[in-house]
Structures are given as C-alpha cells and as structure tokens.
Amino acid sequence: MSGEKTVLVVGASGLVGSAVIRHLKDSGSRIIAAARRRPAEAEGLEFVSVDLMDRALCQRVFSQMPEVTHLVYTALYERSDLVSGWSDSEQIEINDGMFKAVLDPLVGARGALRHVTLLQGTKAYGVHVRAIPVPAREDRDELRSQPNFYWEQEAHLRAQAEGADWGWTILRPPLIIGGVVGGAMNAVPPLCVFASMLKEEGLPLAFPGGGPRIASAVDVDLLARAIDWAGDSAEARNRTFNVSNGDIYVWENVWRVFAEEMGMETAAAEPRFLHHYCRERAALWDHIRDKHDLAAPDLERFVGPSLQYCDYLLRAGEAGPGASTAVSTIAIQQAGFHEVMDSEVMFAKWIRDLKARRLIPS
C-alpha cells in the first residue's frame, strides 16, 4: 500500500494479523495494531489494546479513528473444543458481534474509510460438514444454508457498504501456515512438537493420520500480500476471492519435508490422535525444552488448540480417501493477483523459522 493511508489491523496478534503488520511495516503507511496483547511485530507501531467482546469499549476506541482508510479484520473467536465449535450458535453470535463492534464505530465516524478486508475460509463451502465441489469456486459453491458466522459478518458488511463510498473484499484462504505461537489453527508448531517427541524417544517419524485427502494451503506471508493488493485494486472491490498457494498436496507426500527438516527417518503410517498423544507427554516437551535450551513455552501455550486442528487436518482415525479441500484461484488471478508458492517449500520455510527462533530443536 502506498500514499496517504492509515491501516487498522484488528486481530494483530494472530496468525494473519501479525503477518499483515510485518508486510506493511515498510510501506510508508500509518499502521494501527489492535488486539488484546501487543504482538512483537507491532513494536514501534501504534497499538490499541482492546477486547472485541466489550462493545462499549470498542465504540469509544474505534469511533475516535476517522483517519482510518483501510480496515483489515483478522480477529477470530474459537471455542476450546475447536471443531465442534464451528457450528455452535454462540460462537456465531460472538464472532458476528466482534465484527460489528469494530465496523460500526468506524462507519459511524464518517471519516476517511475507503476499504474493508474480511476473511472467511473453506467452511464457506461446508468443508467441515460435507464433501465440497472440486475445486470449490466463489459465488457458486457456497453452503449458505449451513449456520456460519461468515454469513452474518458478510451480510452486515454488505448492508453497511450499500450506497457508501468505501468498498470491501472478502478473501477465502484454505489452511493458513505461519509461525505464530499458541494459535488455534496453525499446523506447523504442533506437528514439530510431535516430531520432537518421537525423536527424543528414538522413534522414526511415522505418519499419524488417516486416509489421504487432496488439500490446498496458503503461506501467511503470501496471504498478507494478497490483503495488501485487495485494499487498492479496483478489480478486487466488492468481490470475494479464494486465495491459496496455487498447488495441491496430500499430507502423506509432504510428510517427508517434516522428516528431512527434523533430521528424522520416516516409517510406515501409525495412526494416532495428536491431541491425546502429545498432551499425555507434556512433561516430555518440558524435558526437550530444557535439554535444547529452547525459547518455547510449555505445551499448552505453545500449540493451544492446534493439536485438535491437526487431528482434523490429518483425518486421524479415518480410513479411506477423504473429501478434497482444494479451491479454485482462477478468479483472483484473473483480477490481478498472481503470486504462487510451492507448498512443500512453504512447510520447510516455517519449520526453519521455528528453529531459527529456538522454538523447536535445531
């Protein structure tokens, strides 16, 4: 982004929000980071500590920001029982309320707002409740009959933008991969913890999942650049786009990347639920941290609910081929965003990032 801009990044401590801040830091734009806690990426930037469930606080904070030109909304509330929460009415209501608590005061300020970026995902196609079309396409394959906070947020966004002089873009990434610690849906840290535990026990890196499933993913830094592009592209105005690395993979085929990066041998598949396996060995993770003088926190703070997410991604306990999670990115490429990335390179990138930050053994 260039020119006179003030970018408000809400959910700045999360996987996507922190990546957006990293990307925009040297853009010349004014950046305001909003989250409950200040992320490391926001050092030296304007920061607002805010609880999005406190509607009165949000009204006071965001109504005083008429200078904001771009809102990048990346905040997300997830229940502790992660997967079952995706269809929970309370979770839908909370996420809807959080988004309104930010957008409504900004719109009410009648300031300089020009663009809003909102994130959805493959649950828009019902990936969590059905086999989705292959590849899933925007504005054709949505499962709008399935309760989902996406639809509540989108309806409110469209209503507020009706007749306004600002526009919006909705981006739908599949699996997002990055290096944030403690996230609810970040696969690399928990998989590296699992690998570290096996290695410490002298075991090879056996694939723990179930049957294969064709999948797609997106590097969080690539996603941040897509968010940047969407904020200024006339072709992206008031449109919805899938955004991914541009390739597909199955977990069994990328498993060798984890083995190579962790210095381990692979072995025949040995199904396990990582949520149970790793939590039963929390003390082993503490031993690994001490042995290698790691900067990583204890297991709960390091991986959060992401162990559950990995069981979902790897289809733990499920036999036979699974439904695809591949999405079409033709629309965003035709609109002008052409970046792609090899997903195996992406996984290796973030494993090396964790090593460089002394979060896993090198």
mmCIF file of all heavy atoms in Angstrom, residues 137-181:
data_model
loop_
_atom_site.group_PDB
_atom_site.id
_atom_site.type_symbol
_atom_site.label_atom_id
_atom_site.label_comp_id
_atom_site.label_asym_id
_atom_site.label_seq_id
_atom_site.Cartn_x
_atom_site.Cartn_y
_atom_site.Cartn_z
ATOM 1 N N ARG A 137 -15.496 -23.043 -5.961
ATOM 2 C CA ARG A 137 -15.433 -21.736 -6.616
ATOM 3 C C ARG A 137 -16.338 -20.727 -5.914
ATOM 4 O O ARG A 137 -17.411 -21.067 -5.419
ATOM 5 C CB ARG A 137 -15.862 -21.864 -8.086
ATOM 6 C CG ARG A 137 -14.943 -22.731 -8.913
ATOM 7 C CD ARG A 137 -15.441 -22.838 -10.347
ATOM 8 N NE ARG A 137 -14.623 -23.745 -11.127
ATOM 9 C CZ ARG A 137 -13.534 -23.394 -11.818
ATOM 10 N NH1 ARG A 137 -13.154 -22.121 -11.830
ATOM 11 N NH2 ARG A 137 -12.850 -24.289 -12.507
ATOM 12 N N GLU A 138 -15.880 -19.488 -5.912
ATOM 13 C CA GLU A 138 -16.609 -18.402 -5.289
ATOM 14 C C GLU A 138 -17.952 -18.171 -5.986
ATOM 15 O O GLU A 138 -18.056 -18.308 -7.203
ATOM 16 C CB GLU A 138 -15.794 -17.092 -5.324
ATOM 17 C CG GLU A 138 -14.363 -17.209 -4.830
ATOM 18 C CD GLU A 138 -13.377 -17.536 -5.933
ATOM 19 O OE1 GLU A 138 -13.766 -18.201 -6.932
ATOM 20 O OE2 GLU A 138 -12.197 -17.131 -5.813
ATOM 21 N N ASP A 139 -18.939 -17.766 -5.199
ATOM 22 C CA ASP A 139 -20.247 -17.374 -5.720
ATOM 23 C C ASP A 139 -20.957 -18.484 -6.492
ATOM 24 O O ASP A 139 -21.877 -18.223 -7.256
ATOM 25 C CB ASP A 139 -20.123 -16.126 -6.614
ATOM 26 C CG ASP A 139 -19.511 -14.952 -5.867
ATOM 27 O OD1 ASP A 139 -19.837 -14.781 -4.679
ATOM 28 O OD2 ASP A 139 -18.706 -14.222 -6.473
ATOM 29 N N ARG A 140 -20.531 -19.720 -6.287
ATOM 30 C CA ARG A 140 -21.192 -20.837 -6.944
ATOM 31 C C ARG A 140 -21.379 -22.023 -6.013
ATOM 32 O O ARG A 140 -22.407 -22.697 -6.058
ATOM 33 C CB ARG A 140 -20.381 -21.283 -8.175
ATOM 34 C CG ARG A 140 -21.140 -22.284 -9.033
ATOM 35 C CD ARG A 140 -20.350 -22.687 -10.265
ATOM 36 N NE ARG A 140 -19.320 -23.676 -9.964
ATOM 37 C CZ ARG A 140 -18.503 -24.190 -10.892
ATOM 38 N NH1 ARG A 140 -18.571 -23.757 -12.144
ATOM 39 N NH2 ARG A 140 -17.618 -25.105 -10.566
ATOM 40 N N ASP A 141 -20.393 -22.262 -5.153
ATOM 41 C CA ASP A 141 -20.373 -23.496 -4.366
ATOM 42 C C ASP A 141 -20.574 -23.283 -2.870
ATOM 43 O O ASP A 141 -20.378 -24.199 -2.080
ATOM 44 C CB ASP A 141 -19.033 -24.221 -4.592
ATOM 45 C CG ASP A 141 -18.857 -24.656 -6.040
ATOM 46 O OD1 ASP A 141 -19.866 -25.024 -6.661
ATOM 47 O OD2 ASP A 141 -17.718 -24.618 -6.536
ATOM 48 N N GLU A 142 -20.976 -22.072 -2.463
ATOM 49 C CA GLU A 142 -21.169 -21.806 -1.038
ATOM 50 C C GLU A 142 -22.291 -22.668 -0.452
ATOM 51 O O GLU A 142 -23.250 -23.024 -1.149
ATOM 52 C CB GLU A 142 -21.525 -20.331 -0.794
ATOM 53 C CG GLU A 142 -20.374 -19.367 -0.984
ATOM 54 C CD GLU A 142 -20.290 -18.838 -2.409
ATOM 55 O OE1 GLU A 142 -20.954 -19.426 -3.289
ATOM 56 O OE2 GLU A 142 -19.557 -17.863 -2.642
ATOM 57 N N LEU A 143 -22.167 -22.976 0.826
ATOM 58 C CA LEU A 143 -23.222 -23.682 1.553
ATOM 59 C C LEU A 143 -23.845 -22.693 2.532
ATOM 60 O O LEU A 143 -23.612 -22.733 3.741
ATOM 61 C CB LEU A 143 -22.648 -24.894 2.295
ATOM 62 C CG LEU A 143 -23.666 -25.827 2.958
ATOM 63 C CD1 LEU A 143 -24.608 -26.451 1.929
ATOM 64 C CD2 LEU A 143 -22.957 -26.921 3.757
ATOM 65 N N ARG A 144 -24.649 -21.791 1.998
ATOM 66 C CA ARG A 144 -25.206 -20.727 2.826
ATOM 67 C C ARG A 144 -26.320 -21.213 3.743
ATOM 68 O O ARG A 144 -26.718 -20.497 4.654
ATOM 69 C CB ARG A 144 -25.686 -19.573 1.938
ATOM 70 C CG ARG A 144 -24.520 -18.856 1.261
ATOM 71 C CD ARG A 144 -24.931 -17.627 0.484
ATOM 72 N NE ARG A 144 -23.755 -16.990 -0.095
ATOM 73 C CZ ARG A 144 -23.042 -16.033 0.481
ATOM 74 N NH1 ARG A 144 -23.399 -15.579 1.664
ATOM 75 N NH2 ARG A 144 -21.981 -15.516 -0.117
ATOM 76 N N SER A 145 -26.812 -22.425 3.522
ATOM 77 C CA SER A 145 -27.812 -22.978 4.427
ATOM 78 C C SER A 145 -27.197 -23.478 5.732
ATOM 79 O O SER A 145 -27.904 -23.683 6.724
ATOM 80 C CB SER A 145 -28.551 -24.134 3.747
ATOM 81 O OG SER A 145 -27.640 -25.180 3.395
ATOM 82 N N GLN A 146 -25.865 -23.667 5.758
ATOM 83 C CA GLN A 146 -25.178 -24.113 6.964
ATOM 84 C C GLN A 146 -24.896 -22.916 7.862
ATOM 85 O O GLN A 146 -24.263 -21.944 7.426
ATOM 86 C CB GLN A 146 -23.851 -24.791 6.596
ATOM 87 C CG GLN A 146 -22.949 -25.127 7.773
ATOM 88 C CD GLN A 146 -23.533 -26.191 8.679
ATOM 89 O OE1 GLN A 146 -24.280 -27.045 8.218
ATOM 90 N NE2 GLN A 146 -23.197 -26.144 9.957
ATOM 91 N N PRO A 147 -25.368 -22.927 9.121
ATOM 92 C CA PRO A 147 -25.067 -21.811 10.023
ATOM 93 C C PRO A 147 -23.569 -21.559 10.114
ATOM 94 O O PRO A 147 -22.774 -22.486 10.281
ATOM 95 C CB PRO A 147 -25.638 -22.289 11.364
ATOM 96 C CG PRO A 147 -26.721 -23.236 10.992
ATOM 97 C CD PRO A 147 -26.224 -23.943 9.753
ATOM 98 N N ASN A 148 -23.179 -20.296 10.000
ATOM 99 C CA ASN A 148 -21.768 -19.944 9.929
ATOM 100 C C ASN A 148 -21.642 -18.448 10.182
ATOM 101 O O ASN A 148 -22.381 -17.656 9.582
ATOM 102 C CB ASN A 148 -21.222 -20.288 8.531
ATOM 103 C CG ASN A 148 -19.716 -20.260 8.444
ATOM 104 O OD1 ASN A 148 -19.064 -19.426 9.061
ATOM 105 N ND2 ASN A 148 -19.154 -21.175 7.669
ATOM 106 N N PHE A 149 -20.713 -18.061 11.030
ATOM 107 C CA PHE A 149 -20.574 -16.624 11.297
ATOM 108 C C PHE A 149 -20.140 -15.851 10.066
ATOM 109 O O PHE A 149 -20.309 -14.631 9.995
ATOM 110 C CB PHE A 149 -19.628 -16.364 12.470
ATOM 111 C CG PHE A 149 -18.164 -16.625 12.194
ATOM 112 C CD1 PHE A 149 -17.376 -15.658 11.588
ATOM 113 C CD2 PHE A 149 -17.577 -17.818 12.576
ATOM 114 C CE1 PHE A 149 -16.032 -15.890 11.339
ATOM 115 C CE2 PHE A 149 -16.226 -18.060 12.339
ATOM 116 C CZ PHE A 149 -15.454 -17.098 11.723
ATOM 117 N N TYR A 150 -19.577 -16.548 9.077
ATOM 118 C CA TYR A 150 -19.221 -15.869 7.832
ATOM 119 C C TYR A 150 -20.415 -15.119 7.263
ATOM 120 O O TYR A 150 -20.295 -13.975 6.803
ATOM 121 C CB TYR A 150 -18.766 -16.867 6.767
ATOM 122 C CG TYR A 150 -17.498 -17.625 7.019
ATOM 123 C CD1 TYR A 150 -17.169 -18.722 6.220
ATOM 124 C CD2 TYR A 150 -16.606 -17.263 8.017
ATOM 125 C CE1 TYR A 150 -16.008 -19.443 6.415
ATOM 126 C CE2 TYR A 150 -15.443 -17.980 8.222
ATOM 127 C CZ TYR A 150 -15.147 -19.071 7.417
ATOM 128 O OH TYR A 150 -13.993 -19.782 7.606
ATOM 129 N N TRP A 151 -21.546 -15.789 7.228
ATOM 130 C CA TRP A 151 -22.720 -15.204 6.569
ATOM 131 C C TRP A 151 -23.261 -14.022 7.358
ATOM 132 O O TRP A 151 -23.729 -13.046 6.762
ATOM 133 C CB TRP A 151 -23.798 -16.255 6.372
ATOM 134 C CG TRP A 151 -23.303 -17.538 5.779
ATOM 135 C CD1 TRP A 151 -23.642 -18.804 6.152
ATOM 136 C CD2 TRP A 151 -22.376 -17.696 4.681
ATOM 137 N NE1 TRP A 151 -22.998 -19.735 5.379
ATOM 138 C CE2 TRP A 151 -22.214 -19.083 4.463
ATOM 139 C CE3 TRP A 151 -21.671 -16.815 3.868
ATOM 140 C CZ2 TRP A 151 -21.382 -19.603 3.475
ATOM 141 C CZ3 TRP A 151 -20.838 -17.324 2.891
ATOM 142 C CH2 TRP A 151 -20.695 -18.683 2.695
ATOM 143 N N GLU A 152 -23.176 -14.090 8.680
ATOM 144 C CA GLU A 152 -23.623 -12.963 9.495
ATOM 145 C C GLU A 152 -22.728 -11.745 9.264
ATOM 146 O O GLU A 152 -23.206 -10.619 9.066
ATOM 147 C CB GLU A 152 -23.615 -13.346 10.981
ATOM 148 C CG GLU A 152 -24.367 -14.624 11.318
ATOM 149 C CD GLU A 152 -25.821 -14.530 10.979
ATOM 150 O OE1 GLU A 152 -26.410 -13.446 11.160
ATOM 151 O OE2 GLU A 152 -26.398 -15.549 10.531
ATOM 152 N N GLN A 153 -21.421 -11.969 9.304
ATOM 153 C CA GLN A 153 -20.482 -10.863 9.086
ATOM 154 C C GLN A 153 -20.613 -10.303 7.672
ATOM 155 O O GLN A 153 -20.605 -9.086 7.475
ATOM 156 C CB GLN A 153 -19.046 -11.347 9.322
ATOM 157 C CG GLN A 153 -18.728 -11.664 10.771
ATOM 158 C CD GLN A 153 -17.294 -12.134 10.954
ATOM 159 O OE1 GLN A 153 -16.642 -12.586 10.003
ATOM 160 N NE2 GLN A 153 -16.793 -12.031 12.170
ATOM 161 N N GLU A 154 -20.719 -11.171 6.689
ATOM 162 C CA GLU A 154 -20.818 -10.713 5.300
ATOM 163 C C GLU A 154 -22.088 -9.893 5.074
ATOM 164 O O GLU A 154 -22.052 -8.847 4.405
ATOM 165 C CB GLU A 154 -20.778 -11.900 4.349
ATOM 166 C CG GLU A 154 -20.883 -11.497 2.891
ATOM 167 C CD GLU A 154 -20.822 -12.679 1.941
ATOM 168 O OE1 GLU A 154 -20.254 -13.736 2.310
ATOM 169 O OE2 GLU A 154 -21.354 -12.549 0.817
ATOM 170 N N ALA A 155 -23.207 -10.360 5.623
ATOM 171 C CA ALA A 155 -24.465 -9.631 5.449
ATOM 172 C C ALA A 155 -24.367 -8.235 6.043
ATOM 173 O O ALA A 155 -24.843 -7.252 5.451
ATOM 174 C CB ALA A 155 -25.612 -10.409 6.087
ATOM 175 N N HIS A 156 -23.730 -8.126 7.205
ATOM 176 C CA HIS A 156 -23.595 -6.823 7.842
ATOM 177 C C HIS A 156 -22.651 -5.925 7.054
ATOM 178 O O HIS A 156 -22.907 -4.721 6.893
ATOM 179 C CB HIS A 156 -23.099 -6.986 9.276
ATOM 180 C CG HIS A 156 -23.181 -5.742 10.078
ATOM 181 N ND1 HIS A 156 -24.371 -5.172 10.481
ATOM 182 C CD2 HIS A 156 -22.208 -4.897 10.540
ATOM 183 C CE1 HIS A 156 -24.146 -4.073 11.163
ATOM 184 N NE2 HIS A 156 -22.830 -3.880 11.202
ATOM 185 N N LEU A 157 -21.571 -6.502 6.548
ATOM 186 C CA LEU A 157 -20.616 -5.738 5.738
ATOM 187 C C LEU A 157 -21.296 -5.174 4.497
ATOM 188 O O LEU A 157 -21.166 -3.983 4.175
ATOM 189 C CB LEU A 157 -19.447 -6.635 5.338
ATOM 190 C CG LEU A 157 -18.390 -6.035 4.408
ATOM 191 C CD1 LEU A 157 -17.676 -4.865 5.080
ATOM 192 C CD2 LEU A 157 -17.388 -7.110 3.982
ATOM 193 N N ARG A 158 -22.050 -6.019 3.804
ATOM 194 C CA ARG A 158 -22.733 -5.569 2.592
ATOM 195 C C ARG A 158 -23.770 -4.483 2.910
ATOM 196 O O ARG A 158 -23.900 -3.499 2.163
ATOM 197 C CB ARG A 158 -23.411 -6.754 1.913
ATOM 198 C CG ARG A 158 -22.453 -7.731 1.233
ATOM 199 C CD ARG A 158 -23.209 -8.932 0.692
ATOM 200 N NE ARG A 158 -22.355 -9.881 0.003
ATOM 201 C CZ ARG A 158 -22.068 -9.866 -1.298
ATOM 202 N NH1 ARG A 158 -22.604 -8.901 -2.063
ATOM 203 N NH2 ARG A 158 -21.289 -10.765 -1.852
ATOM 204 N N ALA A 159 -24.486 -4.645 4.019
ATOM 205 C CA ALA A 159 -25.502 -3.658 4.382
ATOM 206 C C ALA A 159 -24.876 -2.310 4.692
ATOM 207 O O ALA A 159 -25.387 -1.259 4.273
ATOM 208 C CB ALA A 159 -26.313 -4.162 5.571
ATOM 209 N N GLN A 160 -23.772 -2.320 5.422
ATOM 210 C CA GLN A 160 -23.108 -1.065 5.771
ATOM 211 C C GLN A 160 -22.496 -0.394 4.547
ATOM 212 O O GLN A 160 -22.402 0.836 4.480
ATOM 213 C CB GLN A 160 -22.023 -1.323 6.825
ATOM 214 C CG GLN A 160 -22.543 -1.631 8.213
ATOM 215 C CD GLN A 160 -23.041 -0.384 8.926
ATOM 216 O OE1 GLN A 160 -23.689 0.484 8.338
ATOM 217 N NE2 GLN A 160 -22.745 -0.253 10.200
ATOM 218 N N ALA A 161 -22.059 -1.200 3.574
ATOM 219 C CA ALA A 161 -21.407 -0.636 2.384
ATOM 220 C C ALA A 161 -22.403 -0.158 1.339
ATOM 221 O O ALA A 161 -22.016 0.563 0.404
ATOM 222 C CB ALA A 161 -20.482 -1.680 1.766
ATOM 223 N N GLU A 162 -23.659 -0.552 1.486
ATOM 224 C CA GLU A 162 -24.668 -0.170 0.498
ATOM 225 C C GLU A 162 -24.763 1.350 0.386
ATOM 226 O O GLU A 162 -25.064 2.060 1.352
ATOM 227 C CB GLU A 162 -26.027 -0.748 0.894
ATOM 228 C CG GLU A 162 -27.115 -0.524 -0.129
ATOM 229 C CD GLU A 162 -26.914 -1.329 -1.389
ATOM 230 O OE1 GLU A 162 -26.305 -2.434 -1.314
ATOM 231 O OE2 GLU A 162 -27.367 -0.867 -2.456
ATOM 232 N N GLY A 163 -24.486 1.878 -0.787
ATOM 233 C CA GLY A 163 -24.561 3.309 -1.031
ATOM 234 C C GLY A 163 -23.410 4.117 -0.468
ATOM 235 O O GLY A 163 -23.390 5.344 -0.609
ATOM 236 N N ALA A 164 -22.443 3.440 0.175
ATOM 237 C CA ALA A 164 -21.299 4.145 0.756
ATOM 238 C C ALA A 164 -20.214 4.363 -0.296
ATOM 239 O O ALA A 164 -20.231 3.746 -1.371
ATOM 240 C CB ALA A 164 -20.734 3.358 1.935
ATOM 241 N N ASP A 165 -19.242 5.214 0.033
ATOM 242 C CA ASP A 165 -18.152 5.473 -0.904
ATOM 243 C C ASP A 165 -16.922 4.630 -0.589
ATOM 244 O O ASP A 165 -15.834 4.914 -1.079
ATOM 245 C CB ASP A 165 -17.801 6.961 -0.932
ATOM 246 C CG ASP A 165 -17.435 7.499 0.444
ATOM 247 O OD1 ASP A 165 -17.434 6.714 1.419
ATOM 248 O OD2 ASP A 165 -17.145 8.708 0.538
ATOM 249 N N TRP A 166 -17.090 3.623 0.254
ATOM 250 C CA TRP A 166 -15.995 2.697 0.514
ATOM 251 C C TRP A 166 -16.393 1.297 0.028
ATOM 252 O O TRP A 166 -17.572 0.983 -0.116
ATOM 253 C CB TRP A 166 -15.606 2.654 1.999
ATOM 254 C CG TRP A 166 -16.741 2.399 2.964
ATOM 255 C CD1 TRP A 166 -17.542 3.316 3.563
ATOM 256 C CD2 TRP A 166 -17.187 1.119 3.441
ATOM 257 N NE1 TRP A 166 -18.468 2.701 4.383
ATOM 258 C CE2 TRP A 166 -18.266 1.362 4.340
ATOM 259 C CE3 TRP A 166 -16.792 -0.195 3.226
ATOM 260 C CZ2 TRP A 166 -18.948 0.333 4.995
ATOM 261 C CZ3 TRP A 166 -17.461 -1.227 3.876
ATOM 262 C CH2 TRP A 166 -18.518 -0.957 4.744
ATOM 263 N N GLY A 167 -15.391 0.479 -0.248
ATOM 264 C CA GLY A 167 -15.643 -0.865 -0.759
ATOM 265 C C GLY A 167 -15.061 -1.927 0.152
ATOM 266 O O GLY A 167 -14.473 -1.623 1.199
ATOM 267 N N TRP A 168 -15.202 -3.163 -0.264
ATOM 268 C CA TRP A 168 -14.759 -4.281 0.561
ATOM 269 C C TRP A 168 -14.237 -5.409 -0.322
ATOM 270 O O TRP A 168 -14.519 -5.477 -1.518
ATOM 271 C CB TRP A 168 -15.897 -4.807 1.444
ATOM 272 C CG TRP A 168 -17.168 -5.114 0.698
ATOM 273 C CD1 TRP A 168 -18.232 -4.274 0.517
ATOM 274 C CD2 TRP A 168 -17.488 -6.335 -0.010
ATOM 275 N NE1 TRP A 168 -19.197 -4.896 -0.246
ATOM 276 C CE2 TRP A 168 -18.777 -6.153 -0.576
ATOM 277 C CE3 TRP A 168 -16.826 -7.538 -0.216
ATOM 278 C CZ2 TRP A 168 -19.404 -7.154 -1.332
ATOM 279 C CZ3 TRP A 168 -17.438 -8.538 -0.970
ATOM 280 C CH2 TRP A 168 -18.714 -8.338 -1.511
ATOM 281 N N THR A 169 -13.467 -6.285 0.290
ATOM 282 C CA THR A 169 -13.041 -7.530 -0.345
ATOM 283 C C THR A 169 -13.103 -8.632 0.700
ATOM 284 O O THR A 169 -12.664 -8.436 1.838
ATOM 285 C CB THR A 169 -11.602 -7.445 -0.899
ATOM 286 O OG1 THR A 169 -11.511 -6.344 -1.804
ATOM 287 C CG2 THR A 169 -11.215 -8.726 -1.614
ATOM 288 N N ILE A 170 -13.643 -9.778 0.336
ATOM 289 C CA ILE A 170 -13.630 -10.956 1.200
ATOM 290 C C ILE A 170 -12.646 -11.952 0.605
ATOM 291 O O ILE A 170 -12.718 -12.276 -0.586
ATOM 292 C CB ILE A 170 -15.032 -11.590 1.305
ATOM 293 C CG1 ILE A 170 -15.990 -10.637 2.034
ATOM 294 C CG2 ILE A 170 -14.962 -12.935 2.029
ATOM 295 C CD1 ILE A 170 -17.434 -11.093 2.028
ATOM 296 N N LEU A 171 -11.706 -12.418 1.420
ATOM 297 C CA LEU A 171 -10.727 -13.411 0.980
ATOM 298 C C LEU A 171 -10.990 -14.728 1.700
ATOM 299 O O LEU A 171 -11.257 -14.750 2.897
ATOM 300 C CB LEU A 171 -9.307 -12.935 1.266
ATOM 301 C CG LEU A 171 -8.853 -11.696 0.485
ATOM 302 C CD1 LEU A 171 -7.449 -11.290 0.900
ATOM 303 C CD2 LEU A 171 -8.905 -11.948 -1.024
ATOM 304 N N ARG A 172 -10.895 -15.812 0.945
ATOM 305 C CA ARG A 172 -11.130 -17.146 1.496
ATOM 306 C C ARG A 172 -9.881 -18.012 1.351
ATOM 307 O O ARG A 172 -9.722 -18.745 0.375
ATOM 308 C CB ARG A 172 -12.300 -17.816 0.780
ATOM 309 C CG ARG A 172 -13.648 -17.205 1.108
ATOM 310 C CD ARG A 172 -14.752 -17.936 0.379
ATOM 311 N NE ARG A 172 -16.052 -17.301 0.646
ATOM 312 C CZ ARG A 172 -17.108 -17.394 -0.142
ATOM 313 N NH1 ARG A 172 -17.017 -18.104 -1.261
ATOM 314 N NH2 ARG A 172 -18.234 -16.802 0.183
ATOM 315 N N PRO A 173 -8.984 -17.955 2.316
ATOM 316 C CA PRO A 173 -7.841 -18.866 2.296
ATOM 317 C C PRO A 173 -8.248 -20.248 2.801
ATOM 318 O O PRO A 173 -9.137 -20.363 3.650
ATOM 319 C CB PRO A 173 -6.858 -18.199 3.264
ATOM 320 C CG PRO A 173 -7.742 -17.455 4.231
ATOM 321 C CD PRO A 173 -8.929 -16.995 3.434
ATOM 322 N N PRO A 174 -7.608 -21.312 2.302
ATOM 323 C CA PRO A 174 -7.763 -22.629 2.926
ATOM 324 C C PRO A 174 -6.869 -22.692 4.163
ATOM 325 O O PRO A 174 -6.750 -21.691 4.878
ATOM 326 C CB PRO A 174 -7.340 -23.584 1.813
ATOM 327 C CG PRO A 174 -6.342 -22.792 1.012
ATOM 328 C CD PRO A 174 -6.761 -21.348 1.112
ATOM 329 N N LEU A 175 -6.225 -23.804 4.419
ATOM 330 C CA LEU A 175 -5.291 -23.919 5.540
ATOM 331 C C LEU A 175 -4.226 -22.825 5.449
ATOM 332 O O LEU A 175 -3.559 -22.679 4.429
ATOM 333 C CB LEU A 175 -4.621 -25.297 5.502
ATOM 334 C CG LEU A 175 -3.451 -25.518 6.452
ATOM 335 C CD1 LEU A 175 -3.913 -25.471 7.899
ATOM 336 C CD2 LEU A 175 -2.765 -26.846 6.130
ATOM 337 N N ILE A 176 -4.066 -22.040 6.523
ATOM 338 C CA ILE A 176 -3.070 -20.970 6.577
ATOM 339 C C ILE A 176 -1.881 -21.455 7.393
ATOM 340 O O ILE A 176 -2.051 -21.940 8.521
ATOM 341 C CB ILE A 176 -3.652 -19.699 7.209
ATOM 342 C CG1 ILE A 176 -4.931 -19.267 6.485
ATOM 343 C CG2 ILE A 176 -2.621 -18.564 7.188
ATOM 344 C CD1 ILE A 176 -5.681 -18.145 7.190
ATOM 345 N N ILE A 177 -0.690 -21.316 6.856
ATOM 346 C CA ILE A 177 0.521 -21.785 7.528
ATOM 347 C C ILE A 177 1.426 -20.599 7.837
ATOM 348 O O ILE A 177 1.715 -19.772 6.979
ATOM 349 C CB ILE A 177 1.276 -22.801 6.651
ATOM 350 C CG1 ILE A 177 0.423 -24.069 6.453
ATOM 351 C CG2 ILE A 177 2.622 -23.158 7.279
ATOM 352 C CD1 ILE A 177 0.145 -24.840 7.724
ATOM 353 N N GLY A 178 1.868 -20.528 9.099
ATOM 354 C CA GLY A 178 2.771 -19.475 9.543
ATOM 355 C C GLY A 178 3.471 -19.881 10.823
ATOM 356 O O GLY A 178 3.494 -21.065 11.178
ATOM 357 N N GLY A 179 4.017 -18.914 11.544
ATOM 358 C CA GLY A 179 4.855 -19.241 12.692
ATOM 359 C C GLY A 179 4.364 -18.739 14.030
ATOM 360 O O GLY A 179 5.120 -18.746 15.002
ATOM 361 N N VAL A 180 3.106 -18.298 14.123
ATOM 362 C CA VAL A 180 2.599 -17.764 15.383
ATOM 363 C C VAL A 180 2.494 -18.864 16.433
ATOM 364 O O VAL A 180 2.060 -19.982 16.136
ATOM 365 C CB VAL A 180 1.237 -17.076 15.173
ATOM 366 C CG1 VAL A 180 0.498 -16.883 16.482
ATOM 367 C CG2 VAL A 180 1.441 -15.730 14.501
ATOM 368 N N VAL A 181 2.868 -18.534 17.649
ATOM 369 C CA VAL A 181 2.814 -19.473 18.766
ATOM 370 C C VAL A 181 1.450 -19.376 19.451
ATOM 371 O O VAL A 181 0.934 -18.286 19.673
ATOM 372 C CB VAL A 181 3.935 -19.162 19.771
ATOM 373 C CG1 VAL A 181 3.750 -19.932 21.068
ATOM 374 C CG2 VAL A 181 5.293 -19.477 19.144
#
